[in-house]
């Protein structure tokens, strides 16, 4: 069933919307959740919470690309679950490893004098990514948004793992420089 | 700022960026093997090109080597002052199957006192019974000079002639030769063969010609079947520009077989 038809079912408050969503995107969303949580049971719960969140958000939302919309919901839910359950503990999930990688871009210290506006930061990162090559942009988003393992990111881009690591490293370094120039206190 | 804040910000990236990346993710893994094969193919092509160029340069220098070796051995034997085999022999008198017309002297013989008719670079004149066209063929600027030596090629058809001109076009400027070769069409090659002798590092102010073509009769120690003797100014000529010449010698059809080996001999007149 096409995305447009599934969204219409949500708007019509048809329970078939959730069944169709599960049929089409269950595996896709489970993978995103597992990348963050590294646990099958927790991933299952996150995906179920995603369906509930989708039901409650449509209407008023009417996404044109349902997969990206659901991925955003799953990602946020899974990260919140991760933080809730393992706030001080590091697991072997891709989210944990990606956090340490992104630590290259920030000081990690407590800069109490400046409050970061997350949305402004998101806009700045978006502008920076648009300036990069398609390969770098895809690799960055696949790694830090979808939290895919390096091996899968390399396969998506059609490059070797070592080249992928180098590409991501350069992109992170460039992002740090860009954010500093834009006035963000890192 | 913490990495977690950065993660939160990444979660708010514009949808079009997310959708673009997700499209590529869902297409599945892209193979990278083709790059390896492309690189291997490029390396192979590079090696093949280098080998081809090296082979061509070595082939151009091979005649140089044989002629130089022969000339180095020349002073060892005494030569009769007037050996008729080194006079300007008519083509018809040269035996076809190796019967020797006389003892081959290894030293450069004394030339007939009557100098051959002056042959200028852009004219065609008959000296003995040979019709020899002496045509300047300057080396192309990018080509290295191969030294004071000569190269000989026998062509028996118009196709072979054109192949020769095409193969050597990167070495010589064949503008003058092309004009002379207009006369050598397929009909001409039915009764004739053409001997092409490229003389390097020559002088323009001294006449050039082929003075004799002799069958060795199997007496040559290196197994050469034919000697082709041509004039050259020799060493120490004080004046004149240096260039290259092609001596195009018209031969009776079948006189020299393509399987025969030919040695060219420089015969100084100074």
């Amino acid at each position: 069933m096409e995305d447009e038809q599934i969204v219409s079912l949500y708007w019509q408050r048809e329970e078939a919307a959730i069944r169709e969503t599960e049929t089409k995107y269950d595996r896709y969303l489970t993978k995103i959740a597992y990348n963050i949580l590294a646990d099958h049971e927790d991933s299952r719960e996150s995906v179920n919470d995603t369906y509930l969140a989708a039901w409650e958000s449509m209407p008023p939302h009417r996404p044109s690309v349902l997969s990206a919309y659901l991925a955003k919901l799953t990602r946020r839910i899974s990260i919140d679950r991760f933080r809730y359950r393992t706030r001080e503990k590091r697991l072997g999930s891709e989210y944990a490893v990606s956090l340490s990688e992104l630590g290259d871009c920030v000081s990690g210290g407590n800069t109490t004098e400046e409050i970061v506006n997350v949305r402004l930061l998101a806009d700045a990162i978006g502008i920076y990514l648009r300036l990069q090559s398609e390969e770098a942009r895809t690799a960055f988003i696949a790694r830090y948004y979808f939290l895919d393992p390096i091996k899968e990111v390399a396969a998506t881009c059609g490059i070797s793992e070592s080249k992928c690591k180098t590409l991501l490293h350069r992109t992170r370094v460039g992002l740090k420089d860009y954010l500093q120039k834009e006035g963000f206190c890192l | 700022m913490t990495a977690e804040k950065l993660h939160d910000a990444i979660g708010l990236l514009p949808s079009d960026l997310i959708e673009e990346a997700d499209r590529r993710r869902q297409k599945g893994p892209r193979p990278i093997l083709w790059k390896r094969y492309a690189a291997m193919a490029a390396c192979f092509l590079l090696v093949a090109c280098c080998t081809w160029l090296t082979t061509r340069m070595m082939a151009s220098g091979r005649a140089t080597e044989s002629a130089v070796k022969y000339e180095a051995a020349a002073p060892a034997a005494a030569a009769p002052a007037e050996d008729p085999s080194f006079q300007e022999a008519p083509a018809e008198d040269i035996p076809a199957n190796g019967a020797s017309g006389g003892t081959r002297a290894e030293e450069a013989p004394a030339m007939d006192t009557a100098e051959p008719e002056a042959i200028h670079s852009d004219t065609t004149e008959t000296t003995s019974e040979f019709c020899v066209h002496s045509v300047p063929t300057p080396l192309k600027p990018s080509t290295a000079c191969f030294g004071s030596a000569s190269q000989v090629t026998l062509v028996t058809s118009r196709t072979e002639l054109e192949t020769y001109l095409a193969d050597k076009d990167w070495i010589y400027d064949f503008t003058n030769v092309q004009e002379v070769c207009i006369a050598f069409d397929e009909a001409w090659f039915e009764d004739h063969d053409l001997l092409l002798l490229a003389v390097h590092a020559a002088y323009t102010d001294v006449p050039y010609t082929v003075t004799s073509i002799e069958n060795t009769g199997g007496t040559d120690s290196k197994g050469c079947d034919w000697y082709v003797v041509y004039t050259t100014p020799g060493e120490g000529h004080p004046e004149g520009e240096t260039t290259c010449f092609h001596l195009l010698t018209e031969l009776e059809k079948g006189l020299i077989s393509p399987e025969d080996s030919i040695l060219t001999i420089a015969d100084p007149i100074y």
Side-chain angles (χ1 to χ4, degrees):
Chain A
M1 186 179 280
E2 297 297 323
D3 286 354
E4 202 176 313
Q5 291 171 306
I6 298 176
V7 171
S8 297
L9 288 175
Y10 278 104
W11 275 68
Q12 292 163 17
R13 312 311 288 170
E14 295 279 350
E15 289 185 5
I18 297 179
R19 280 199 303 274
E20 294 296 332
T21 304
E22 187 177 7
T23 302
K24 192 171 181 182
Y25 292 115
D26 188 68
R27 196 172 169 187
Y28 171 75
L29 298 174
T30 303
K31 186 175 182 307
I32 294 173
Y34 189 81
N35 282 346
I36 298 169
L37 297 164
D39 183 90
H40 289 290
E41 283 185 18
D42 287 348
S43 303
R44 187 72 254 157
E45 286 182 26
S46 291
V47 171
N48 289 337
D49 289 345
T50 301
Y51 298 144
L52 179 61
W55 178 261
E56 290 175 349
S57 62
M58 290 186 283
H61 290 91
R62 199 178 193 99
S64 56
V65 181
L66 190 57
S67 61
Y69 181 75
L70 293 172
K72 189 183 273 191
L73 291 176
T74 303
R75 186 180 185 274
R76 194 187 68 210
I77 291 168
S78 299
I79 289 175
D80 288 344
R81 188 180 293 273
F82 177 89
R83 288 174 182 170
Y84 176 77
R85 291 190 179 182
T86 59
R87 192 164 294 279
E88 297 298 326
K89 196 164 127 183
R90 294 291 187 199
L91 291 178
S93 75
E94 292 299 329
Y95 175 64
V97 176
S98 73
L99 270 181
S100 68
E101 289 175 9
L102 283 173
D104 294 340
C105 301
V106 295
S107 65
N110 295 320
T111 55
T112 57
E113 295 184 0
E114 187 169 340
I115 299 173
V116 176
N117 187 319
V118 175
R119 187 157 292 280
L120 281 177
L121 182 60
D123 290 343
I125 296 173
I127 292 169
Y128 170 76
L129 288 177
R130 288 185 203 281
L131 296 172
Q132 305 310 301
S133 66
E134 188 185 344
E135 190 177 68
R137 188 163 57 241
T138 301
F140 188 91
I141 294 174
R143 180 75 185 122
Y144 302 117
Y145 184 91
F146 289 102
L147 303 160
D148 289 337
I150 293 284
K151 191 176 176 181
E152 287 183 25
V153 175
T156 297
C157 296
I159 56 178
S160 64
E161 283 187 42
S162 59
K163 188 178 175 186
C164 181
K165 287 178 188 173
T166 305
L167 182 65
L168 287 170
H169 173 74
R170 285 180 186 160
T171 307
R172 291 196 305 269
V173 170
L175 175 62
K176 181 178 180 179
D177 292 341
Y178 179 80
L179 292 177
Q180 283 177 333
K181 279 181 196 168
E182 292 297 308
F184 287 92
C185 184
L186 301 178
Chain B
M1 186 187 296
T2 63
E4 287 187 357
K5 289 272 189 251
L6 206 55
H7 245 293
D8 291 342
I10 290 171
L12 297 175
L13 282 174
S15 301
D16 61 316
L17 291 178
I18 307 301
E19 287 161 17
E20 179 197 59
D22 197 29
R23 269 196 299 275
R24 281 196 59 174
R25 286 174 72 245
Q26 294 196 42
K27 275 185 185 172
R30 293 170 64 183
I32 59 172
L33 285 177
W34 68 268
K35 286 188 182 178
R36 285 185 203 163
Y37 292 131
M40 285 168 59
C43 288
F44 176 75
L45 202 62
L46 187 64
V47 169
C49 284
C50 290
T51 306
W52 176 75
L53 279 172
T54 306
T55 306
R56 286 197 73 161
M57 290 177 70
M58 284 174 66
S60 296
R62 211 170 289 136
T64 303
E65 189 181 324
S66 60
V68 167
K69 281 183 183 171
Y70 187 86
E71 285 181 335
E82 296 173 353
D83 188 331
S85 69
F86 290 99
Q87 297 306 313
E88 295 176 349
E92 293 82 5
D93 290 348
I94 294 176
N97 292 318
S100 174
T103 303
R104 171 75 187 105
E106 294 180 3
E107 193 174 69
M111 287 295 298
D112 190 345
T113 51
E115 286 193 10
E117 294 177 29
I119 299 176
H120 298 288
S121 59
D122 56 349
T123 62
T124 299
E125 297 188 22
T126 303
T127 52
S128 55
E129 297 297 326
F130 298 108
C131 183
V132 181
H133 308 264
S134 183
V135 187
T137 49
L139 288 173
K140 290 198 170 170
S142 59
T143 307
C145 178
F146 294 103
S148 180
S150 63
Q151 301 170 53
V152 64
T153 307
L154 179 72
V155 294
T156 60
S157 68
R158 178 71 196 184
T159 305
E160 285 182 16
L161 176 59
E162 289 175 358
T163 301
Y164 174 88
L165 296 176
D167 284 351
K168 304 283 185 184
D169 184 65
W170 68 283
I171 304 174
Y172 304 105
D173 180 355
F174 277 130
T175 306
N176 300 322
V177 172
Q178 294 279 9
E179 287 182 20
V180 173
C181 287
I182 290 173
F184 304 135
D185 53 12
E186 281 298 344
W188 184 88
F189 274 103
E190 286 179 6
D191 299 319
H192 302 87
D193 290 332
L194 193 65
L195 195 67
L196 300 163
L197 179 54
V199 179
H200 289 226
Y203 295 90
T204 60
D205 59 340
V206 177
Y208 279 84
T209 190
V210 172
T211 55
S212 72
I213 300 176
E214 179 188 347
N215 190 287
T216 64
T219 59
D220 180 71
S221 59
K222 294 189 192 310
C224 288
D225 299 302
W226 295 91
Y227 297 140
V228 174
V229 184
Y230 66 97
T231 62
T232 184
E235 295 182 5
H237 196 271
E239 296 173 0
E241 299 175 357
T242 58
T243 186
C244 292
F245 274 81
H246 266 69
L247 305 185
L248 281 61
T249 306
E250 299 182 22
L251 300 176
E252 181 185 320
K253 190 71 179 177
L255 175 67
I256 299 177
S257 167
E259 284 76 38
D260 291 345
S261 61
I262 304 170
L263 183 68
T264 59
I265 301 167
D267 183 19
I269 62 175
Y270 291 105

